Amino acid sequence: MSTETLPQDAAMLLSFINLKLRDYYDNLEELCGSMDVNREELCRKLAGIDYEYDPAVNQFI
């Protein structure tokens, strides 16, 4: 999924991604491109715990 090791647990992944979005990236596309993350796979995994990306706040909520 990424060149950087991502947490496998969905809740930990959510926390990690939201931290990266908040502190380092202006949007999900930038994060995915920079970290070599498949956006669809990431969104699918987080949708599994009822979270979706909201571009207005740049977070999964």
Side-chain angles (χ1 to χ4, degrees):
M1 181 177 206
S2 165
T3 56
E4 190 172 326
T5 304
L6 294 176
Q8 295 302 306
D9 177 76
M12 292 298 293
L13 178 62
L14 170 67
S15 178
F16 177 81
I17 294 296
N18 275 343
L19 177 138
K20 292 286 190 179
L21 287 168
R22 182 189 71 224
D23 293 346
Y24 302 105
Y25 299 100
D26 292 330
N27 55 57
L28 185 58
E29 291 74 25
E30 186 180 322
L31 177 144
C32 290
S34 177
M35 296 181 65
D36 192 28
V37 172
N38 181 297
R39 180 188 168 122
E40 291 76 27
E41 188 177 333
L42 174 63
C43 289
R44 185 173 37 255
K45 186 157 188 172
L46 293 178
I49 59 169
D50 296 323
Y51 282 84
E52 291 185 16
Y53 180 68
D54 182 348
V57 293
N58 192 34
Q59 294 280 284
F60 280 86
I61 57 172

